[in-house]
Amino acid sequence: KSLSEQPKNFMGAIMKLPRNLRTIYVHALQSSSFNHAASERVRLYGCEKVVAGDLVSMDSATPAQASSAAQAGEAGPRKPADGIAYDEDEALTAPAEERLSSLQTPHIVSEEEAAEGKYTIDDVVLPVPGTDVIYPLNDVAAEYDRHLATHGLVRGSFAHHVRQFRLRGDYRRLLQRPSDLEWRIERYDDPTEPLVQTDIARLRGEPPRPCKASGERTALIICFTLPASSYATMLIRELTKQKTDKAHQIALNVTGGA
């Protein structure tokens, strides 16, 4: 309807969409770029050790390393470019993550540090594309550019003149290990039988399902904790070595696999 009234006002048409819907598009693009870069980082260098040019969380770096990184010219958070006009309502309703004062700049691993094994693969982080992040100084950086180019974008595209689409970016770990991990084997017969107690059942004081020593089917019950931006589906994928795409899951259901 908006385009029928103003055929060339594409931004105006997009802004007619509900806020959570129009912002999820750019957030999905950010996540897609990170996922692509993470896959390419593993393909290029494996997932056993840190290589030169990798970014590591400053939580793993000493104050001396942080100081030397700053002297080496690693960029901190950048302020918006002067002369860009923003709608006041957009500024007042900006997401909380856009109003944060700064992002913690990661440390860039040198050739010497990589050779010494100063950091572990668990320390490696990758950027979620945005205006205030730095990129690895190895071949992984080019993978971000290739992925963005497939969508007609460049790194600078995130410095958008509309505040909702000007995203600062973030950093996420390349590998994330679960905490509080527990598991057990259950036997059962009825595929519709609930194997774990729901929150409602607990609130009602219903007893948990008793463990069975025998049954036609076998289930693996896993309990664990993951931080934000980490997903149980990926952990299950790594455990079972099964694809998580829709077509593969449908095929499993059709053939009776689990």
Side-chain angles (χ1 to χ4, degrees):
K1 180 180 178 181
S2 177
L3 286 174
S4 67
E5 297 171 351
Q6 297 178 297
K8 295 184 179 181
N9 187 6
F10 302 110
M11 181 55 67
I14 290 176
M15 298 302 285
K16 296 293 185 182
L17 297 172
R19 179 192 175 88
N20 62 339
L21 181 59
R22 63 179 182 255
T23 56
I24 200 172
Y25 292 138
V26 286
H27 291 157
L29 175 66
Q30 286 180 301
S31 296
S32 177
S33 294
F34 173 88
N35 290 341
H36 175 79
S39 296
E40 290 303 303
R41 167 58 179 79
V42 173
R43 184 184 68 83
L44 291 168
Y45 304 116
C47 55
E48 289 77 34
K49 62 181 181 180
V50 178
V51 300
D54 274 340
L55 306 180
V56 294
S57 170
M58 289 300 288
D59 294 338
S60 307
T62 65
Q65 290 171 335
S67 175
S68 63
Q71 294 174 5
E74 292 180 10
R78 297 195 299 269
K79 295 181 180 180
D82 293 335
I84 297 179
Y86 297 100
D87 186 282
E88 288 187 359
D89 292 336
E90 290 295 321
L92 291 174
T93 59
E97 66 266 24
E98 292 186 19
R99 298 196 299 266
L100 296 177
S101 60
S102 65
L103 290 175
Q104 191 176 44
T105 304
H107 175 67
I108 300 177
V109 178
S110 67
E111 293 279 1
E112 293 76 14
E113 290 170 333
E116 293 171 4
K118 194 165 191 175
Y119 301 100
T120 70
I121 194 67
D122 295 299
D123 300 322
V124 175
V125 297
L126 289 173
V128 176
T131 60
D132 292 358
V133 298
I134 62 173
Y135 292 81
L137 293 184
N138 52 36
D139 290 341
V140 177
E143 298 302 330
Y144 281 96
D145 296 329
R146 291 191 185 96
H147 183 267
L148 291 174
T150 62
H151 299 281
L153 301 172
V154 295
R155 298 183 196 180
S157 299
F158 291 94
H160 203 275
H161 66 280
V162 175
R163 187 178 180 88
Q164 284 187 21
F165 303 126
R166 179 172 55 82
L167 303 179
R168 301 182 61 217
D170 202 353
Y171 299 98
R172 296 179 188 170
R173 294 189 183 277
L174 171 64
L175 301 181
Q176 183 65 60
R177 300 180 188 275
S179 58
D180 309 317
L181 180 63
E182 299 178 355
W183 63 274
R184 68 180 187 275
I185 299 295
E186 292 275 358
R187 303 291 300 181
Y188 67 105
D189 294 305
D190 184 358
T192 65
E193 177 185 4
L195 302 180
V196 295
Q197 193 178 30
T198 65
D199 292 338
I200 293 179
R202 292 191 185 95
L203 291 172
R204 291 173 177 170
E206 299 176 7
R209 174 185 179 277
C211 295
K212 295 182 180 180
S214 61
E216 180 183 350
R217 300 169 180 267
T218 303
L220 172 64
I221 311 297
I222 311 172
C223 301
F224 52 86
T225 300
L226 289 173
S229 301
S230 299
Y231 298 94
T233 49
M234 297 299 99
L235 188 148
I236 300 301
R237 182 190 70 180
E238 293 303 308
L239 285 176
T240 62
K241 304 304 178 187
Q242 294 279 355
K243 296 179 180 179
T244 54
D245 62 271
K246 183 177 180 180
H248 181 74
Q249 294 299 314
I250 291 176
L252 288 177
N253 290 333
V254 169
T255 58

